[in-house]
PDB file of all heavy atoms in Angstrom:
ATOM      1  N   PRO A 307      48.189-127.304  32.796  1.00 95.00           N
ATOM      2  CA  PRO A 307      48.691-125.996  33.264  1.00 95.00           C
ATOM      3  C   PRO A 307      48.070-124.810  32.529  1.00 95.00           C
ATOM      4  O   PRO A 307      47.785-124.893  31.334  1.00 95.00           O
ATOM      5  CB  PRO A 307      50.208-126.085  32.948  1.00 95.00           C
ATOM      6  CG  PRO A 307      50.258-126.990  31.764  1.00 95.00           C
ATOM      7  CD  PRO A 307      49.199-128.052  32.022  1.00 95.00           C
ATOM      8  N   PRO A 308      47.791-123.696  33.253  1.00 96.00           N
ATOM      9  CA  PRO A 308      47.352-122.507  32.551  1.00 96.00           C
ATOM     10  C   PRO A 308      48.429-121.992  31.583  1.00 96.00           C
ATOM     11  O   PRO A 308      49.621-122.396  31.688  1.00 96.00           O
ATOM     12  CB  PRO A 308      47.174-121.504  33.717  1.00 96.00           C
ATOM     13  CG  PRO A 308      47.065-122.374  34.928  1.00 96.00           C
ATOM     14  CD  PRO A 308      47.889-123.538  34.705  1.00 96.00           C
ATOM     15  N   VAL A 309      48.013-121.120  30.685  1.00 97.00           N
ATOM     16  CA  VAL A 309      48.972-120.550  29.695  1.00 97.00           C
ATOM     17  C   VAL A 309      48.977-119.055  29.901  1.00 97.00           C
ATOM     18  O   VAL A 309      47.920-118.401  29.924  1.00 97.00           O
ATOM     19  CB  VAL A 309      48.541-120.875  28.269  1.00 97.00           C
ATOM     20  CG1 VAL A 309      49.646-120.432  27.312  1.00 97.00           C
ATOM     21  CG2 VAL A 309      48.193-122.317  28.126  1.00 97.00           C
ATOM     22  N   LEU A 310      50.169-118.495  30.026  1.00 97.00           N
ATOM     23  CA  LEU A 310      50.348-117.045  30.018  1.00 97.00           C
ATOM     24  C   LEU A 310      50.942-116.613  28.664  1.00 97.00           C
ATOM     25  O   LEU A 310      51.968-117.053  28.254  1.00 97.00           O
ATOM     26  CB  LEU A 310      51.309-116.644  31.120  1.00 97.00           C
ATOM     27  CG  LEU A 310      51.612-115.137  31.275  1.00 97.00           C
ATOM     28  CD1 LEU A 310      50.354-114.371  31.585  1.00 97.00           C
ATOM     29  CD2 LEU A 310      52.676-114.910  32.354  1.00 97.00           C
ATOM     30  N   VAL A 311      50.192-115.736  28.012  1.00 96.00           N
ATOM     31  CA  VAL A 311      50.582-115.231  26.686  1.00 96.00           C
ATOM     32  C   VAL A 311      51.065-113.801  26.821  1.00 96.00           C
ATOM     33  O   VAL A 311      50.245-112.938  27.167  1.00 96.00           O
ATOM     34  CB  VAL A 311      49.415-115.291  25.664  1.00 96.00           C
ATOM     35  CG1 VAL A 311      49.943-114.994  24.272  1.00 96.00           C
ATOM     36  CG2 VAL A 311      48.785-116.692  25.686  1.00 96.00           C
ATOM     37  N   HIS A 312      52.320-113.544  26.560  1.00 96.00           N
ATOM     38  CA  HIS A 312      52.876-112.209  26.650  1.00 96.00           C
ATOM     39  C   HIS A 312      52.502-111.389  25.435  1.00 96.00           C
ATOM     40  O   HIS A 312      52.198-111.948  24.363  1.00 96.00           O
ATOM     41  CB  HIS A 312      54.376-112.300  26.831  1.00 96.00           C
ATOM     42  CG  HIS A 312      54.844-112.993  28.060  1.00 96.00           C
ATOM     43  ND1 HIS A 312      54.865-112.377  29.273  1.00 96.00           N
ATOM     44  CD2 HIS A 312      55.226-114.244  28.256  1.00 96.00           C
ATOM     45  CE1 HIS A 312      55.310-113.249  30.225  1.00 96.00           C
ATOM     46  NE2 HIS A 312      55.519-114.406  29.580  1.00 96.00           N
ATOM     47  N   PRO A 313      52.407-110.050  25.577  1.00 95.00           N
ATOM     48  CA  PRO A 313      52.034-109.241  24.410  1.00 95.00           C
ATOM     49  C   PRO A 313      52.936-109.419  23.172  1.00 95.00           C
ATOM     50  O   PRO A 313      52.455-109.224  22.035  1.00 95.00           O
ATOM     51  CB  PRO A 313      52.191-107.810  24.992  1.00 95.00           C
ATOM     52  CG  PRO A 313      51.953-107.965  26.414  1.00 95.00           C
ATOM     53  CD  PRO A 313      52.599-109.270  26.800  1.00 95.00           C
ATOM     54  N   ASP A 314      54.186-109.830  23.361  1.00 93.00           N
ATOM     55  CA  ASP A 314      55.082-110.020  22.233  1.00 93.00           C
ATOM     56  C   ASP A 314      54.879-111.406  21.577  1.00 93.00           C
ATOM     57  O   ASP A 314      55.650-111.698  20.645  1.00 93.00           O
ATOM     58  CB  ASP A 314      56.533-109.804  22.655  1.00 93.00           C
ATOM     59  CG  ASP A 314      57.016-110.812  23.688  1.00 93.00           C
ATOM     60  OD1 ASP A 314      56.231-111.680  24.051  1.00 93.00           O
ATOM     61  OD2 ASP A 314      58.170-110.649  24.148  1.00 93.00           O
ATOM     62  N   GLY A 315      54.006-112.249  22.104  1.00 93.00           N
ATOM     63  CA  GLY A 315      53.732-113.521  21.511  1.00 93.00           C
ATOM     64  C   GLY A 315      54.361-114.702  22.212  1.00 93.00           C
ATOM     65  O   GLY A 315      54.039-115.885  21.893  1.00 93.00           O
ATOM     66  N   ARG A 316      55.226-114.457  23.149  1.00 94.00           N
ATOM     67  CA  ARG A 316      55.824-115.554  23.923  1.00 94.00           C
ATOM     68  C   ARG A 316      54.749-116.202  24.785  1.00 94.00           C
ATOM     69  O   ARG A 316      53.849-115.521  25.351  1.00 94.00           O
ATOM     70  CB  ARG A 316      56.947-115.063  24.811  1.00 94.00           C
ATOM     71  CG  ARG A 316      58.183-114.641  24.098  1.00 94.00           C
ATOM     72  CD  ARG A 316      59.264-114.146  25.027  1.00 94.00           C
ATOM     73  NE  ARG A 316      58.850-112.927  25.739  1.00 94.00           N
ATOM     74  CZ  ARG A 316      58.676-112.888  27.053  1.00 94.00           C
ATOM     75  NH1 ARG A 316      58.919-113.943  27.818  1.00 94.00           N
ATOM     76  NH2 ARG A 316      58.273-111.741  27.630  1.00 94.00           N
ATOM     77  N   THR A 317      54.801-117.563  24.873  1.00 95.00           N
ATOM     78  CA  THR A 317      53.805-118.261  25.695  1.00 95.00           C
ATOM     79  C   THR A 317      54.551-119.029  26.775  1.00 95.00           C
ATOM     80  O   THR A 317      55.645-119.606  26.508  1.00 95.00           O
ATOM     81  CB  THR A 317      52.934-119.233  24.838  1.00 95.00           C
ATOM     82  OG1 THR A 317      53.785-120.126  24.172  1.00 95.00           O
ATOM     83  CG2 THR A 317      52.115-118.436  23.842  1.00 95.00           C
ATOM     84  N   ALA A 318      53.964-119.157  27.924  1.00 95.00           N
ATOM     85  CA  ALA A 318      54.570-119.936  29.029  1.00 95.00           C
ATOM     86  C   ALA A 318      53.475-120.718  29.731  1.00 95.00           C
ATOM     87  O   ALA A 318      52.420-120.170  30.099  1.00 95.00           O
ATOM     88  CB  ALA A 318      55.258-119.012  29.997  1.00 95.00           C
ATOM     89  N   PHE A 319      53.703-122.011  29.917  1.00 96.00           N
ATOM     90  CA  PHE A 319      52.794-122.861  30.650  1.00 96.00           C
ATOM     91  C   PHE A 319      53.165-122.745  32.143  1.00 96.00           C
ATOM     92  O   PHE A 319      54.319-122.952  32.485  1.00 96.00           O
ATOM     93  CB  PHE A 319      52.852-124.306  30.166  1.00 96.00           C
ATOM     94  CG  PHE A 319      52.208-124.524  28.864  1.00 96.00           C
ATOM     95  CD1 PHE A 319      52.927-124.611  27.683  1.00 96.00           C
ATOM     96  CD2 PHE A 319      50.794-124.699  28.754  1.00 96.00           C
ATOM     97  CE1 PHE A 319      52.334-124.793  26.464  1.00 96.00           C
ATOM     98  CE2 PHE A 319      50.198-124.870  27.519  1.00 96.00           C
ATOM     99  CZ  PHE A 319      50.927-124.935  26.385  1.00 96.00           C
ATOM    100  N   LEU A 320      52.202-122.490  32.967  1.00 96.00           N
ATOM    101  CA  LEU A 320      52.439-122.344  34.400  1.00 96.00           C
ATOM    102  C   LEU A 320      52.388-123.749  35.058  1.00 96.00           C
ATOM    103  O   LEU A 320      51.377-124.184  35.537  1.00 96.00           O
ATOM    104  CB  LEU A 320      51.424-121.407  35.020  1.00 96.00           C
ATOM    105  CG  LEU A 320      51.238-120.053  34.322  1.00 96.00           C
ATOM    106  CD1 LEU A 320      50.307-119.163  35.129  1.00 96.00           C
ATOM    107  CD2 LEU A 320      52.599-119.386  34.115  1.00 96.00           C
ATOM    108  N   ASP A 321      53.539-124.401  34.959  1.00 93.00           N
ATOM    109  CA  ASP A 321      53.611-125.836  35.359  1.00 93.00           C
ATOM    110  C   ASP A 321      54.631-126.099  36.476  1.00 93.00           C
ATOM    111  O   ASP A 321      55.149-127.216  36.639  1.00 93.00           O
ATOM    112  CB  ASP A 321      53.959-126.725  34.145  1.00 93.00           C
ATOM    113  CG  ASP A 321      55.221-126.289  33.429  1.00 93.00           C
ATOM    114  OD1 ASP A 321      55.914-125.354  33.938  1.00 93.00           O
ATOM    115  OD2 ASP A 321      55.526-126.879  32.397  1.00 93.00           O
TER     116      ASP A 321
END
Side-chain angles (χ1 to χ4, degrees):
V309 188
L310 179 62
V311 187
H312 298 279
D314 62 4
R316 291 179 296 116
T317 59
F319 286 99
L320 307 187
D321 56 4

